[in-house]
Amino acid sequence: TETRQYTLKEVEKINKPGFALLDDAQQFIINCPIFYNWIKTQGLEISKVAVHILEPNTVGYLHKDGCSEQSYLALNMDMQNCAGTQTKFLEPLTEGKEFKTLNGALSYTVYEGADAFPEICFYDLEKPVIFNISQPHRVYNLKDTRRISLSIRFVNNPLHLINP
């Protein structure tokens, strides 16, 4: 699809694991017109587009993403090798520390000692998922392939897509 082709081309420019904001949401919109037209039909406006790259046999940091009250839901999509990996939501038992993404464009809070934290729930990113990025979560890629996902942030939460 156009979103996958564009995202994987952008990942080549980043060329390192982690979470990074794609430099220009407008370029994403221009290069993914079919997806953007669907977004518009849903009454949504894209604010940020980010990519998460997780190396093979890796467990990501327990973190929560920086966000606002009107924009705490993100649409995450599989771009490469996400099936069979899990995103788990955990209950932190310690205070987190704030960090910035690879290119410094987004903030997030990381928690240490996550292996001892109770699991709340999880999902496998086999199809697009809308979830609350302000809840502490971590990605488990226990496969022998690099995992790449796309995260779309909106100006306002797409509540109507989950509460029709």
Side-chain angles (χ1 to χ4, degrees):
T1 66
E2 64 184 11
T3 53
R4 181 170 284 116
Q5 290 173 350
Y6 178 75
T7 302
L8 295 179
K9 182 180 75 173
E10 292 299 304
V11 164
E12 288 176 19
K13 296 176 191 174
I14 298 167
N15 199 28
K16 57 182 159 183
F19 190 78
L21 185 69
L22 297 184
D23 291 331
D24 188 354
Q26 194 60 38
Q27 282 302 310
F28 175 82
I29 290 166
I30 290 168
N31 284 280
C32 303
I34 296 169
F35 179 77
Y36 182 61
N37 284 336
W38 178 81
I39 290 295
K40 287 193 308 188
T41 66
Q42 302 306 308
L44 297 170
E45 185 180 343
I46 295 173
S47 65
K48 297 178 180 84
V49 180
V51 64
H52 184 228
I53 305 162
L54 195 60
E55 291 300 305
N57 302 302
T58 302
V59 176
Y61 295 107
L62 177 65
H63 70 282
K64 65 179 181 180
D65 302 334
C67 58
S68 66
E69 283 188 33
Q70 72 270 10
S71 182
Y72 58 83
L73 295 178
L75 172 63
N76 280 14
M77 298 184 293
D78 175 4
M79 293 293 111
Q80 189 176 72
N81 302 318
C82 291
T85 66
Q86 292 184 332
T87 299
K88 294 185 179 183
F89 294 83
L90 305 173
E91 183 66 41
L93 302 175
T94 61
E95 292 294 318
K97 295 179 185 170
E98 190 168 320
F99 291 91
K100 296 283 186 184
T101 54
L102 288 172
N103 54 4
L106 294 174
S107 65
Y108 60 101
T109 303
V110 172
Y111 300 86
E112 292 185 19
D115 292 336
F117 298 169
E119 182 180 321
I120 298 169
C121 63
F122 70 91
Y123 71 84
D124 186 333
L125 189 59
E126 292 182 10
K127 56 186 175 183
V129 171
I130 294 175
F131 81 100
N132 185 339
I133 60 174
S134 72
Q135 297 301 309
H137 56 283
R138 75 191 303 193
V139 178
Y140 292 74
N141 180 17
L142 304 180
K143 296 172 33 176
D144 292 331
T145 54
R146 180 175 69 168
R147 176 194 189 272
I148 301 172
S149 62
L150 184 68
S151 186
I152 308 290
R153 310 297 169 81
F154 302 99
V155 172
N156 293 301
N157 286 318
L159 293 170
H160 62 286
L161 295 180
I162 56 174
N163 297 321

